[in-house]
Amino acid sequence: MATVTEPRRATRRAFQTKLLIGGQWRDSVSGKTFGTFNPATEEEIAQVAEGDAADIELAVKAARKAFDSGPWRKTDARDRGRLMNRLADLIEKHLDELAELETLDNGKPISESKNADLPLVIDCFRYYAGWADKIHGQTIPIRGNYFCYTKREPVGVAGQIIPWNFPMLMVAWKWGPALAAGCTVVLKPAEQTPLTALRLGELALEAGYPEGVINIVPGFGETAGAALVGHPGVDKLAFTGEGRTAQIIMRSAADTLKRITFELGGKSPNIVFADADLDAAVDGALLGLYLNQGQCCCAGSRLFVQESVHDKFVDRLAAKVKARRLGDPFDPATEQGPQVDKAQFDKILSYIAKGRDQGAKCVTGGERFGDKGFFIAPTVFTDVKDDMAIAREEIFGPVLSVIKFRDVEEVIERANTTDYGLVAAVWTRDIGKAHAIADRIRAGTVWVNCYDVFDAAAPFGGFKRSGIGRELGEKALDNYTELKTVTVALD
Ligand code: NAI
Ligand code: MG
């Protein structure tokens, strides 16, 4: 395995490692810090100020002040849009540096940081910048001599808790609709990957966001995260991460009846029919599962392949999986980097062991790659049965379960036999069949003859235990607005 070269630009400037509260960079109240690591080398990158309940208290106070009595309330909607466009421009200007910092902290290949994450981040901010002055209500013809209208007002202070798999993109998905709607935010980045969020905080101040509008408190879930969830001064809580964490959050948010939205996990079916363009479907299966080291909520981790093409399909797929280039995430040719940390690495290896124990056949991979860094060889299991752990539970790693099926009815039923419902994909040249599947699969997104097609304008979120609410698109503005009905007697 290649050795990891330090990123040139990212290391040239000092990392921001403090908390952003009320427009100031501060140490944590406790003075504590925690390490963030390069998962390719297992070496520490930096010590970051560790926020906990005391810092959340200050951050919520700052966000409340900016919302209740600060200039943000009176900022014209169009100027909120201009600020967000300015932030997008600054991100674009610093694209290489941000991409390198993301790769350093998260381990994802630089080609992905540069060509996928960053462009999506910029696009998301520009999309919501456009919405800022287009969030309006209706006039409603009610009975009687009244003038009735609705207006949409910002919900208030938004607490936002994000994971480590797409650290910057998750900031964009959260800040975009919240700031466009006129909310103020307190963001808790994931403890594994706090660096790019902090850098975005610097750029937001440079863009001109008033103090207290954007607050960032890195720290751990059980301390900083839980304090944000429980805080009575937080009106709305948005969370992306594990379902079990969401359950804890929902219980705690009940005390203050916070508005909550969740974007959680999946065990998404990717269904390949015999009549599909099989080469395109092989590439779609690869992208759908191995992108971002398999650390995607929408990973197509249950690959259903129709019986008559199964063996041929698996051969072509396995050849491509074996050819994947693992190694130094800073090498532009690298396709797969390390998993984000030791906990994820261990979890994935334990699922691989379970797959073998329960009788699935490991066609390729199935072990650690190299002896340094949290790399896992891209893995394909065949002969997977619906009740095996690797067919039911979210692995969040480069482990694909290939499942054989016979016909449409059967595959729809099996695809829906899951607690999750985030995405599904279907590969077929029969357009009627594609629409029938899209109609009957219980999932928030269905891709037909494509995978992982994301756009800031297209809503995203889960049925069933994959989430509550939708992110992106016009729909996400609902998460950050309250609807007010005003009725005026006309005589
Ligand atoms: P997690 O859900 O525990 O962490 C996500 C975020 O929630 C982090 O910022 C964390 O600090 C925070 N958090 C944790 N406990 C909290 C609490 N009690 N109160 C408030 N905030 C809390 O996910 P984790 O532990 O990083 O990964 C575990 C598994 O979750 C993964 O293996 C994967 O299966 C799944 N996951 C799914 C993601 C998705 O995009 N749907 C993203 C990350 C993880
Ligand atoms: Mg956790």
Side-chain angles (χ1 to χ4, degrees), residues 20-23 26 53-70 157 184-186 211-213 215 217 227-228 231-234:
L20 177 58
I21 296 177
R26 312 180 177 197
D55 306 283
I56 290 291
E57 186 60 42
L58 295 174
V60 173
K61 202 173 274 172
R64 270 266 58 102
K65 189 171 161 213
F67 182 78
D68 293 329
S69 54
V157 173
T184 59
V185 301
V186 178
E211 66 182 50
V213 172
N215 305 275
V217 183
L228 191 55
H231 202 294
V234 174

Side-chain angles (χ1 to χ4, degrees), residues 278 303-316 381-384 402-405:
L278 290 188
L303 180 66
F304 289 95
V305 182
Q306 201 162 21
E307 213 170 41
S308 60
V309 293
H310 176 275
D311 294 354
K312 177 164 76 175
F313 192 88
V314 168
D315 286 348
R316 288 193 209 172
F381 278 107
T382 58
D383 299 357
V384 177
V402 187
I403 307 171
K404 224 183 251 186
F405 76 93

Side-chain angles (χ1 to χ4, degrees), residues 68-273:
D68 293 329
S69 54
W72 192 233
R73 246 284 86 126
K74 297 191 195 86
T75 303
D76 283 340
R78 199 149 306 161
D79 291 331
R80 292 203 303 269
R82 285 183 58 212
L83 269 177
M84 198 173 291
N85 271 322
R86 226 179 280 156
L87 174 60
D89 290 346
L90 284 170
I91 295 170
E92 193 166 48
K93 182 174 154 199
H94 295 282
L95 187 145
D96 287 345
E97 174 213 322
L98 284 162
E100 285 167 7
L101 193 55
E102 193 80 316
T103 288
L104 183 68
D105 209 10
N106 167 282
K108 64 176 70 202
I110 191 71
S111 63
E112 280 178 23
S113 298
K114 260 186 196 160
N115 303 319
D117 297 55
L118 257 302
L120 286 169
V121 168
I122 294 164
D123 200 56
C124 182
F125 281 125
R126 292 206 170 121
Y127 172 79
Y128 282 108
W131 267 116
D133 61 355
K134 298 170 193 67
I135 304 172
H136 42 61
Q138 295 175 311
T139 59
I140 302 177
I142 64 169
R143 238 180 238 290
N145 197 17
Y146 299 101
F147 170 44
C148 178
Y149 63 92
T150 57
K151 60 195 292 262
R152 295 173 72 187
E153 298 184 359
V155 70
V157 173
Q160 305 182 315
I161 300 176
I162 58 171
W164 41 262
N165 52 343
F166 293 91
M168 258 187 294
L169 189 57
M170 291 301 100
V171 177
W173 287 23
K174 298 287 183 281
W175 287 1
L179 298 171
C183 294
T184 59
V185 301
V186 178
L187 175 83
K188 196 204 81 64
E191 55 271 32
Q192 296 87 347
T193 54
L195 294 178
T196 46
L198 294 172
R199 181 68 182 121
L200 289 182
E202 289 181 325
L203 294 178
L205 293 183
E206 194 180 330
Y209 276 95
E211 66 182 50
V213 172
I214 293 177
N215 305 275
I216 307 174
V217 183
F220 293 90
E222 293 73 13
T223 50
L228 191 55
V229 174
H231 202 294
V234 174
D235 300 291
K236 190 254 164 345
L237 197 283
F239 166 79
T240 300
E242 189 180 15
R244 261 178 300 205
T245 311
Q247 291 172 324
I248 297 170
I249 289 176
M250 201 165 179
R251 283 191 194 101
S252 160
D255 290 339
T256 48
L257 285 179
K258 275 186 186 60
R259 285 97 185 94
I260 45 177
T261 41
F262 289 149
E263 205 266 274
L264 311 174
K267 193 72 193 176
S268 297
N270 187 8
I271 304 168
V272 180
F273 284 97

